[in-house]
Amino acid sequence: MDRQEEFEAKLEQVRSLLAAEQVEGILISEPHSFAWMTCGGDNHVMLSGPTGSGSVLVTADEAYLICSNVEERRLTEEETAGLPLEVRTFNWHDGSDRQVLRELVGRGALGCDVPRSDAKDVSKPLVRLRYRLLPPEVERLRWLGREAEAAMRQACLEAEMGESEFELAGQVAGACYARKMLPLLTLVAVDDRIAQIRHPIPTDKELEQTAMLVLCARRWGLYANLTRLISFGPLEADLRRRHDAVTLIDATMIASSTVGTPYRDIFQRALKTYREVGYPDDWRWLHLGGATGYAGRYFKANPACEEVVKDSQAIAWNPAIDGTKSEDTILVTEDEIAIVTEAKDWPMVEYEVDEMTMERPDILIR
């Protein structure tokens, strides 16, 4: 399947929503959805923000790229080249795409994936189209996983005692940019802060012995998520027990991630394992992860989650216990559970779960 074939398959999926949502056209503006629709195109300028610099409008008969005159060259030459999109532009000083859209859909209803006063919100059904990855997307995710792991490993091997969390985060980010990825999230905690803060944005606290580094890397709109820990010197016995416990929980969740399994069942099994390893309440202080792909997490597994694991779906579990955490991105198919951010040249711990051998990254002793 080449890029144009992938695009045509997605056009068919989006067009299936037109009648269901009772709209004449669907406007795709949100950066993750735009990347999905354009098979890896990127409409962002700023990393934050709900909309990008251009949109794709899908109608029953046509597909359009809509953008201001400022963005036309980059989007047509670098992001959507070769795709069968008719380009419609508006002048940046007009301030809006509304007139162009009215010309294209007339008086018909418009659906959009971001809130706007002249359109119906169709974000939820659009997101669900992205859950199952097509073969070219799988290959892009595998590449991203390998490179994200390499960037994280490089940062961990280059870390030094006395460096601040900001400096450690900068090393992760630099390694990502060098490998043509965007570091959408870099969390770092050192020493006692690992146990104190579950979402540790970097501070100027300096590394004395132990560091936890977290990365969500993005390219082509896809995400690869992983966490690694390093220690300068041998581990204390309590941290050893905690890391063995959290990696067993992670291994159990990964082994449970088979096609058709309800996410709430995986969540409940994780809670059972938390109890069995002696940390019955630690799950309360951080979500355990969920489906990923064109988002850090589409949703988080919980007791009320109604989703089931789908074929060719990416998942990132991230169980934590005070002072440690375990996280990688996996790809689930009918045939296998593949860890796309699989650790290379790294110490591992091994478990037998459901007649499967599961290896999880240990804490690297520097």
Side-chain angles (χ1 to χ4, degrees):
M1 178 182 284
D2 62 22
R3 191 183 186 194
Q4 186 160 338
E5 291 171 329
E6 180 184 347
F7 180 76
E8 294 290 345
K10 291 173 178 178
L11 270 182
E12 184 176 341
Q13 290 180 280
V14 175
R15 284 178 174 145
S16 71
L17 297 179
L18 293 174
E21 297 297 325
Q22 297 182 318
V23 294
E24 295 298 319
I26 290 179
L27 187 67
I28 299 172
S29 302
E30 192 273 331
H32 299 101
S33 292
F34 183 92
W36 171 79
M37 186 71 241
T38 59
C39 314
D42 196 338
N43 72 343
H44 95 272
V45 176
M46 295 184 65
L47 288 177
S48 61
T51 60
S53 59
S55 305
V56 172
L57 174 67
V58 178
T59 67
D61 303 312
E62 301 290 343
Y64 304 90
L65 173 68
I66 300 174
C67 61
S68 77
N69 61 310
V70 175
E71 307 296 341
E72 179 182 7
R73 185 164 185 175
R74 180 179 77 84
L75 292 179
T76 57
E77 295 182 6
E78 298 181 352
E79 306 298 343
T80 64
L83 297 181
L85 288 164
E86 184 176 333
V87 181
R88 295 294 181 91
T89 63
F90 57 93
N91 292 321
W92 68 267
H93 49 82
D94 292 338
S96 173
D97 58 6
R98 290 177 186 270
Q99 182 175 344
V100 172
L101 290 171
R102 283 302 115 204
E103 291 172 358
L104 296 177
V105 299
R107 295 181 179 275
L110 177 68
C112 189
D113 59 351
V114 295
R116 51 186 293 161
S117 61
D118 60 344
K120 177 184 179 180
D121 182 358
V122 295
S123 57
K124 289 184 179 179
L126 269 176
V127 165
R128 294 183 66 84
L129 297 182
R130 299 172 359 208
Y131 285 178
R132 298 180 66 171
L133 300 178
L134 296 174
E137 295 172 302
V138 168
E139 292 308 307
R140 293 197 288 270
L141 180 67
R142 290 183 186 276
W143 180 95
L144 178 62
R146 290 192 298 270
E147 294 301 316
E149 187 280 333
M152 175 66 87
R153 176 161 30 95
Q154 176 184 329
C156 289
L157 292 174
E158 293 178 352
E160 297 293 344
M161 288 188 293
E163 291 182 318
S164 72
E165 292 173 348
F166 278 122
E167 290 173 304
L168 296 170
Q171 291 180 27
V172 175
C176 283
Y177 279 111
R179 289 173 171 79
K180 306 175 184 178
M181 302 175 292
L182 294 174
L184 263 288
L185 177 143
T186 50
L187 302 178
V188 179
V190 299
D191 302 310
D192 57 349
R193 193 164 177 260
I194 302 173
Q196 295 169 352
I197 308 295
R198 290 295 172 94
H199 278 150
I201 63 172
T203 70
D204 56 6
K205 184 174 175 61
E206 295 180 352
L207 170 59
E208 295 180 6
Q209 180 175 354
T210 307
M212 180 181 73
L213 290 78
V214 182
L215 170 64
C216 295
R218 189 179 82 184
R219 189 168 184 197
W220 305 297
L222 292 165
Y223 280 74
N225 314 281
L226 68 159
T227 296
R228 298 289 185 265
L229 283 90
I230 61 173
S231 178
F232 288 84
L235 303 182
E236 295 180 357
D238 184 53
L239 180 55
R240 176 72 271 162
R241 286 193 298 271
R242 289 171 182 270
H243 194 69
D244 286 345
V246 82
T247 49
L248 175 57
I249 295 165
D250 196 17
T252 301
M253 297 185 78
I254 293 172
S256 303
S257 303
T258 54
V259 174
T261 302
Y263 277 88
R264 62 175 174 267
D265 290 358
I266 303 172
F267 179 83
Q268 293 295 349
R269 189 176 183 189
L271 266 56
K272 179 175 181 288
T273 311
Y274 266 100
R275 293 192 295 270
E276 290 173 348
V277 297
Y279 301 93
D281 295 318
D282 277 62
W283 67 272
R284 299 180 184 277
W285 315 124
L286 181 68
H287 69 83
L288 305 188
T292 184
Y294 288 92
R297 300 291 189 277
Y298 289 126
F299 54 82
K300 302 175 181 69
N302 61 72
C305 183
E306 297 182 354
E307 300 287 348
V308 301
V309 177
K310 301 188 182 303
D311 185 26
S312 299
Q313 185 167 54
I315 302 172
W317 300 121
N318 53 262
I321 290 175
D322 280 351
T324 189
K325 179 184 170 191
S326 184
E327 177 185 24
D328 271 304
T329 300
I330 66 174
L331 176 69
V332 179
T333 68
E334 294 282 3
D335 299 322
E336 65 172 343
I337 302 171
I339 301 174
V340 298
T341 52
E342 182 180 8
K344 305 295 183 182
D345 301 319
W346 194 272
M348 307 293 284
V349 291
E350 185 176 289
Y351 303 99
E352 293 293 326
V353 184
D354 298 343
E355 300 182 349
M356 289 183 280
T357 299
M358 285 284 165
E359 290 191 330
R360 303 304 304 124
D362 203 351
I363 300 174
L364 174 67
I365 306 299
R366 291 283 308 279

